[in-house]
Amino acid sequence: DSGVTQTPKHLITATGQRVTLRCSPRSGDLSVYWYQQSLDQGLQFLIQYYNGEERAKGNILERFSAQQFPDLHSELNLSSLELGDSALYFCASSVRPNSPLHFGNGTRLTVT
Amino acid sequence: DQQVKQNSPSLSVQEGRISILNCDYTNSMFDYFLWYKKYPAEGPTFLISISSIKDKNEDGRFTVFLNKSAKHLSLHIVPSQPGDSAVYFCAARLQAIRQGGSEKLVFGKGTKLTVNP
């Protein structure tokens, strides 16, 4: 158990809809990262937050947004969903930005 | 453009033998390399890492070798055990360009290792 909690585990929704993925980092970790893993792809970095502030952006679409709240949990919002957004979405946390990441078990999103 | 490449999607070895997982990278600015292991229905877990100023790091049955001139690293598992069967991801860290900026971690696509009893 990494200590990183992601909910829900599975999500099935239709194209055009909006969903919110939730992540609770390990106790004491201030950095939260979001990654997307599509079929046969590596982990694609989406966005990073540190202590409530956005720190780095990766290949995150404009239809996607995220935030980190004062209690350090984070949410990833995906809107105007397309079939290609179907993927595993992982959240990871670390004590500080250069520390190894601890991943949650992911949310599997299926867009039909 | 994939900066971190794991060219073998899968690898099968016999229990007790050595497993060698390979990773190539293109960006000479990567300063730190990590290996993560992933079991089905779980998130990746950190396994071992190596700084770009070293050429070898060992932790029990796991050893990572780095060849900077060839932009190549490998993970050796000796002896391999059935419980090592998982997907192994190679990752490389790109340091922040400016002070106060954030580093970026780039992952390969993974290699599925199967250790047969």
Side-chain angles (χ1 to χ4, degrees):
Chain A
D1 183 10
S2 68
V4 179
T5 304
Q6 287 188 250
T7 56
K9 289 185 179 179
H10 302 276
L11 201 49
I12 301 175
T13 189
T15 54
Q17 295 298 305
R18 172 192 166 95
V19 297
T20 297
L21 313 183
R22 195 178 192 278
C23 170
S24 294
R26 285 192 326 164
S27 177
D29 285 359
L30 300 180
S31 275
V32 169
Y33 307 73
W34 285 98
Y35 283 84
Q36 178 194 55
Q37 185 184 19
S38 302
L39 192 63
D40 295 331
Q41 295 294 316
L43 292 154
Q44 300 292 321
F45 170 66
L46 295 178
I47 197 164
Q48 179 201 354
Y49 282 85
Y50 177 72
N51 205 17
E53 293 190 4
E54 182 184 303
R55 187 175 171 94
K57 255 185 177 179
N59 302 321
I60 188 166
L61 299 172
E62 284 192 12
R63 299 183 287 109
F64 296 0
S65 65
Q67 53 185 325
Q68 186 179 27
F69 295 87
D71 66 353
L72 300 178
H73 92 270
S74 178
E75 292 181 355
L76 178 66
N77 301 297
L78 315 176
S79 61
S80 303
L81 285 168
E82 302 174 359
L83 295 177
D85 297 327
S86 296
L88 263 172
Y89 291 84
F90 287 103
C91 170
S93 71
S94 66
V95 171
R96 52 189 175 277
N98 284 338
S99 305
L101 305 183
H102 299 269
F103 284 83
N105 288 339
T107 293
R108 181 172 290 281
L109 173 66
T110 302
V111 182
T112 61
Chain B
D1 176 32
Q2 194 163 6
Q3 300 185 65
V4 177
K5 295 179 183 177
Q6 294 178 257
N7 292 318
S8 298
S10 62
L11 175 67
S12 183
V13 299
Q14 210 60 31
E15 181 179 5
R17 307 294 289 268
I18 184 171
S19 295
I20 300 177
L21 296 103
N22 294 304
C23 178
D24 297 295
Y25 61 95
T26 57
N27 194 334
S28 57
M29 298 301 290
F30 288 137
D31 72 328
Y32 203 71
F33 302 89
L34 307 92
W35 285 93
Y36 284 82
K37 179 170 75 172
K38 184 184 179 302
Y39 292 118
E42 294 184 11
T45 56
F46 170 70
L47 189 58
I48 192 170
S49 62
I50 187 168
S51 166
S52 61
I53 62 173
K54 295 189 174 182
D55 55 17
K56 177 182 175 181
N57 187 25
E58 192 171 351
D59 183 3
R61 296 186 298 113
F62 302 91
T63 303
V64 56
F65 295 92
L66 175 62
N67 183 333
K68 281 187 69 176
S69 60
K71 294 192 177 68
H72 176 83
L73 67 155
S74 60
L75 174 67
H76 293 212
I77 307 174
V78 183
S80 301
Q81 299 173 354
D84 295 329
S85 297
V87 176
Y88 289 79
F89 289 98
C90 170
R93 188 180 75 182
L94 194 60
Q95 268 290 20
I97 296 174
R98 55 178 174 81
Q99 191 173 9
S102 182
E103 80 291 349
K104 181 180 176 183
L105 202 57
V106 181
F107 283 83
K109 291 186 178 182
T111 296
K112 183 177 181 180
L113 173 66
T114 302
V115 180
N116 302 302

